[in-house]
Amino acid sequence: MATLLYRLGRFAFRRRHFTALFWVALLALAGVGAAGAPVAGNTSFSIPGTEAQKAFDVLEERFPGASADGATARVVFKAPAGEKMTDAGNKAIVRDTVEELSDGSEVARVTDPYQGGGVSRDGTVAYASVSYQVSGMELEESSRDSLEDAAEGARDAGLTVEIGGDALQAVPETGATEIIGIGVAAVVLVITFGSLVAAGLPLLTALIGVGIGVAGITALASTLELGSTTSILATMIGLAVGIDYALFIVSRYRAELAEGREREDAAGRAVGTAGSAVVFAGLTVVIALVGLSVVNIPMLTKMGIAAAVTVAIAVLIALTMVPALLGYAGRRVRAAGEKGKRRGREAREDEEKGNGTAKEKARRPNMGTRWARFVVRRPVAVLLLGVVGLGAAAIPASSLELGLPDDGSQPTSTTQRRAYDLLSEGFGPGFNGPLVVVVDAKNSDDPDAVFRQTGDDIKALDDVVSVSPAAPNKAGDTATITVVPDSKPSSVATEDLVHDIRDAGTGVKADTGADVLVTGATAMNIDVSQKLNDALVPYLTLVVGLAFLLLIVVFRSILVPLKAALGFLLSVMAALGAVVAVFQWGWLSGLMGVEETGPVMSMMPIFMVGVVFGLAMDYEVFLVTRMREAYVHGEKPDEAVVTGFRHGARVVSAAAVIMMAVFAGFIGSSESMVKMIGFGLAIAVFFDAFVVRMAIVPAVLALLGKKAWWLPKWLDRALPNVDVEGEGLRAEGDAAAGEKGGSPDDRDLARV
């Protein structure tokens, strides 16, 4: 592989005009497609295989025209102090508002509080439900404006009015911190390379790659029903890996120049060596993201695949466009250590003048070398400190509570949250999460009797405030029953009630043959959490197993990939502990902009396992392949560890800081899910890069010695030789160097 990538790198360097034009044309094509694409349509959250989804499908079939997947809004009214919503003046205001709401072109129906039981017992709070014919993402702005105008009119008349529901759902905003994250990345790159041109290359190529990926997602959003968070996730991961992959290749290019190679040959060698690591690191990220399809949640699958495609584009751009731009940059990208060489010349001049201090300073090893030597001398102490520290950070994860965000998790400054609180005040906390029980009595002899029996059985359960009369469809074979729990939607008591209703439905089915299904947003959230929990172990086994096999091929070792996997588990558990501490316990919540603490998003653990594993393997591959390269070339195990850190620690540290800055930039998002993902990934990269890869990995390798690189002979013969170390480049590179910067022959180009 190294030889093939070497030729590809030289080809891209020589044919830089063609290569750059190809990627720019692809970006323009994707941009045109995005500009002309229709607005994304229905992005309903379907969960195949769950009871809540099955009930939803029955509603779609048996209640045609009911717009079961349409947007909803609850307009909540509160009377001024000392007044009631049943007062004549307040009733007139509400009825005028209901009439105004009914005029909307997309409105399916509006319930009058005074006819549908929408007034609280103390008479201080009332609500009107508005159902729309289209989903929240498809709702026109004019409909949202009409909803808010109607509420504003009631406010002007003296009532307190707030709006809940998904009708006001908006595309999440990421905020200015995303730009700050990119700015931090630029500063780190300038410090790392000491050159604006060299620093600009990774940023430019990453932005082009993300631009192609996000534009493609936008162009296909309507066709593939991609949600708004899909492009945000692709941006988040695409920027991080795109900058990192380009950073490693540019860094290796400068190192090759420092060894005296011609620029074209240096570009080929950079792609052949660091590019091999980029390919395998990218493969681990793609495996982790595509593996999210195992969970069988369409939204999560689409997010994972879209992000994986963006990562694949980042890999291809790093292998082709980076060497092409290096060709354009020419001498503006200097060899690594040129400043050090100048300092060395100054030191020799000072030595001639009798100044020995400057000479000692010039010969001083870099920080990566000094750190690696320290770890090699004290591996047990470093290993214990790293493991204990991550274990302490992981302790909060034992209190992990999972759930999906609703209006109760919104900031108190939003009208959705204020409407949620008013409904809890007037009707009880469970009113915000009603359960919809679907009774399918199509195979029953007496559907009406089944409906009554089901309602009576539910009334006898604990934690039930009210049970509405059964509302049958026109055919009379299916009915819905609305159940209001006594507890809030995200509570354990409400989850228990859902299971109790389903248990009671089993008895109804045994007696009458009718199916009793529980759905609604609350039941759907419970089913999603359960589905994600059930899928975590199979997903972890699949992703880690495939990546383990891949790393065996890369490192030709059993213990190194095993150590990589165990280190990942430590870092991901510590990151989950940090997420629980901030978003569930409220530690540093003000600093992170978390206005409301609560359960951690249900998909967070499985999502972090997938993404963090892929990103963690990036640093493992980049750092340890350099150690493997040194070991294969004859260095002792301890020396190889030091060599790997001498060449890779600075670049890996810079890459980790950049990735953390990019992820942390999304903490400013208005969407709680994006905010949580941004924080979780940023802290996970910190733990994995600076604790696991920089401390635990060299300590373990120092303790294992030669055993770290052990591989059974039969397995060594069976595995393909991918040549990540670039052994095959020696003869190829010597021949190229003999050409004094000339081009490879036509046969080499043909083979590419």
Side-chain angles (χ1 to χ4, degrees):
M1 173 178 285
T3 303
L4 177 64
L5 292 178
Y6 167 79
R7 294 170 181 167
L8 178 63
R10 293 194 66 180
F11 174 78
F13 187 95
R14 285 194 69 215
R15 300 288 189 261
R16 61 187 73 109
H17 301 314
F18 168 78
T19 305
L21 181 62
F22 171 81
W23 286 112
V24 171
L26 190 59
L27 176 62
L29 183 64
V32 170
V39 178
N42 187 359
T43 56
S44 57
F45 193 77
S46 62
I47 313 295
T50 62
E51 180 173 316
Q53 185 63 44
K54 183 179 178 181
F56 183 84
D57 294 339
V58 170
L59 288 175
E60 287 279 284
E61 177 188 347
R62 306 287 173 81
F63 291 82
S67 301
D69 62 342
T72 59
R74 276 180 171 176
V75 182
V76 187
F77 307 89
K78 184 176 182 180
E83 298 182 17
K84 302 284 187 181
M85 288 305 305
T86 51
D87 294 347
N90 292 334
K91 288 177 71 173
I93 296 171
V94 171
R95 282 176 172 158
D96 288 343
T97 304
V98 168
E99 184 177 351
E100 184 177 351
L101 290 170
S102 303
D103 293 337
S105 59
E106 295 180 312
V107 173
R109 59 188 175 278
V110 180
T111 61
D112 188 318
Y114 304 103
Q115 297 178 1
V119 181
S120 63
R121 290 184 179 180
D122 62 4
T124 59
V125 178
Y127 74 93
S129 293
V130 185
S131 300
Y132 292 88
Q133 299 171 358
V134 296
S135 67
M137 295 301 295
E138 294 175 303
L139 203 62
E140 294 181 359
E141 282 301 320
S142 59
S143 295
R144 292 192 179 96
D145 293 341
S146 298
L147 179 63
E148 293 174 337
D149 290 344
E152 190 61 36
R155 290 190 191 105
D156 293 340
L159 299 178
T160 298
V161 186
E162 305 295 346
I163 307 170
D166 62 351
L168 294 183
Q169 180 180 357
V171 176
E173 300 174 356
T174 53
T177 49
E178 179 186 350
I179 306 300
I180 295 174
I182 296 176
V184 171
V187 171
V188 173
L189 287 169
V190 171
I191 294 173
T192 302
F193 291 133
S195 164
L196 289 175
V197 175
L201 290 181
L203 278 176
L204 177 60
T205 54
L207 289 173
I208 290 174
V210 168
I212 294 172
V214 172
I217 291 170
T218 304
L220 298 173
S222 177
T223 304
L224 302 180
E225 298 183 0
L226 302 177
S228 56
T229 30
T230 303
S231 59
I232 293 178
L233 175 65
T235 302
M236 187 187 301
I237 296 178
L239 266 179
V241 301
I243 294 173
D244 277 8
Y245 295 164
L247 166 64
F248 281 105
I249 289 179
V250 173
S251 177
R252 188 61 184 253
Y253 170 76
R254 296 175 72 238
E256 296 293 339
L257 288 178
E259 293 183 10
R261 305 191 189 281
E262 296 292 338
R263 292 187 177 274
E264 183 178 330
D265 185 44
R269 283 180 171 270
V271 175
T273 51
S276 296
V278 165
V279 169
F280 284 102
L283 273 176
T284 59
V285 180
V286 169
I287 287 172
L289 291 170
V290 174
L292 290 170
S293 58
V294 172
V295 185
N296 196 27
I297 295 179
M299 185 189 78
L300 197 59
T301 299
K302 292 172 184 177
M303 288 172 62
I305 292 176
V309 171
T310 307
V311 171
I313 293 172
V315 171
L316 293 174
I317 283 184
L319 298 178
T320 55
M321 192 167 187
V322 169
L325 293 181
L326 289 172
Y328 283 118
R331 297 186 179 277
R332 286 185 290 273
V333 176
R334 299 190 301 269
E338 280 194 1
K339 290 183 179 179
K341 291 178 182 177
R342 286 197 296 270
R343 285 197 297 267
R345 288 194 296 269
E346 293 169 0
R348 286 192 294 272
E349 293 172 0
D350 289 341
E351 183 183 7
E352 293 173 358
K353 298 175 183 178
N355 187 355
T357 304
K359 178 181 178 181
E360 293 174 3
K361 184 177 180 181
R363 291 181 177 178
R364 188 180 182 187
N366 64 22
M367 185 177 295
T369 302
R370 297 196 301 273
W371 171 250
R373 288 173 178 170
F374 171 80
V375 174
V376 167
R377 287 196 303 268
R378 298 174 178 82
V380 176
V382 172
L383 178 61
L384 288 177
L385 185 62
V387 172
V388 171
L390 290 178
I395 289 176
S398 61
S399 302
L400 178 67
E401 296 177 9
L402 298 176
L404 286 178
D406 57 14
D407 285 349
S409 61
Q410 295 272 4
T412 53
S413 58
T414 63
T415 184
Q416 293 96 323
R417 172 58 189 276
R418 292 195 293 265
Y420 181 98
D421 292 340
L422 283 178
L423 289 172
S424 296
E425 174 189 332
F427 299 91
F431 195 79
N432 283 292
L435 306 175
V436 179
V437 179
V438 180
V439 185
D440 181 3
K442 192 173 184 178
N443 298 323
S444 175
D445 296 333
D446 189 355
D448 290 336
V450 173
F451 301 154
R452 287 193 300 272
Q453 178 185 341
T454 304
D456 292 340
D457 290 347
I458 295 173
K459 289 177 183 177
L461 298 175
D462 295 333
D463 204 52
V464 173
V465 172
S466 65
V467 178
S468 72
N473 62 348
K474 291 182 178 180
D477 58 5
T478 306
T480 59
I481 299 174
T482 302
V483 181
V484 177
D486 188 38
S487 305
K488 64 180 182 179
S490 59
S491 67
V492 176
T494 300
E495 182 177 350
D496 291 340
L497 176 60
V498 170
H499 294 309
D500 290 343
I501 295 174
R502 288 172 175 169
D503 291 340
T506 303
V508 172
K509 183 175 178 64
D511 295 339
T512 65
D515 287 324
V516 178
L517 309 170
V518 185
T519 189
T522 301
M524 184 70 82
N525 289 353
I526 293 170
D527 286 353
V528 169
S529 298
Q530 187 61 50
K531 192 177 182 69
L532 290 166
N533 287 338
D534 293 342
L536 183 58
V537 173
Y539 173 70
L540 189 62
T541 303
L542 173 69
V543 171
V544 176
L546 288 175
F548 180 77
L549 295 176
L550 186 65
L551 292 179
I552 289 178
V553 174
V554 174
F555 296 129
R556 308 197 77 78
S557 164
I558 297 293
L559 296 180
V560 171
L562 180 62
K563 172 264 307 168
L566 294 177
F568 150 73
L569 291 176
L570 275 173
S571 59
V572 79
M573 288 304 298
L576 274 176
V579 169
V580 170
V582 173
F583 291 88
Q584 187 175 310
W585 292 0
W587 293 4
L588 301 177
S589 57
L591 180 64
M592 298 297 166
V594 180
E595 296 189 34
E596 187 67 26
T597 59
V600 173
M601 183 180 60
S602 297
M603 64 179 66
M604 193 67 187
I606 200 165
F607 184 81
M608 282 189 65
V609 164
V611 177
V612 174
F613 181 78
L615 299 178
M617 293 306 103
D618 278 5
Y619 302 118
E620 181 74 14
V621 170
F622 288 128
L623 194 60
V624 181
T625 49
R626 201 65 190 252
M627 299 178 191
R628 168 75 181 173
E629 185 178 339
Y631 179 75
V632 168
H633 291 164
E635 293 188 10
K636 294 180 180 180
D638 286 358
E639 294 173 349
V641 171
V642 175
T643 299
F645 269 76
R646 180 168 63 250
H647 293 292
R650 177 183 175 90
V651 179
V652 168
S653 299
V657 172
I658 289 169
M659 196 172 279
M660 288 167 55
V662 172
F663 288 148
F666 289 85
I667 296 176
S669 173
S670 61
E671 175 69 36
S672 60
M673 181 173 75
V674 176
K675 182 189 293 287
M676 192 178 295
I677 289 174
F679 171 80
L681 294 183
I683 197 70
V685 168
F686 171 77
F687 287 143
D688 195 86
F690 293 105
V691 181
V692 175
R693 310 302 154 189
M694 289 292 178
I696 293 178
V697 165
V700 172
L701 291 177
L703 290 172
L704 290 175
K706 291 184 178 180
K707 295 177 182 178
W709 308 107
W710 171 79
L711 186 69
K713 292 182 179 179
W714 64 268
L715 185 57
D716 187 40
R717 290 191 297 269
L719 292 176
N721 183 13
V722 296
D723 189 23
V724 177
E725 297 82 21
E727 281 292 306
L729 294 183
R730 289 183 174 240
E732 190 94 20
D734 292 341
E739 297 173 4
K740 297 181 180 180
S743 64
D745 57 39
D746 294 337
R747 287 173 297 177
D748 284 345
L749 288 178
R751 285 197 295 272
V752 174

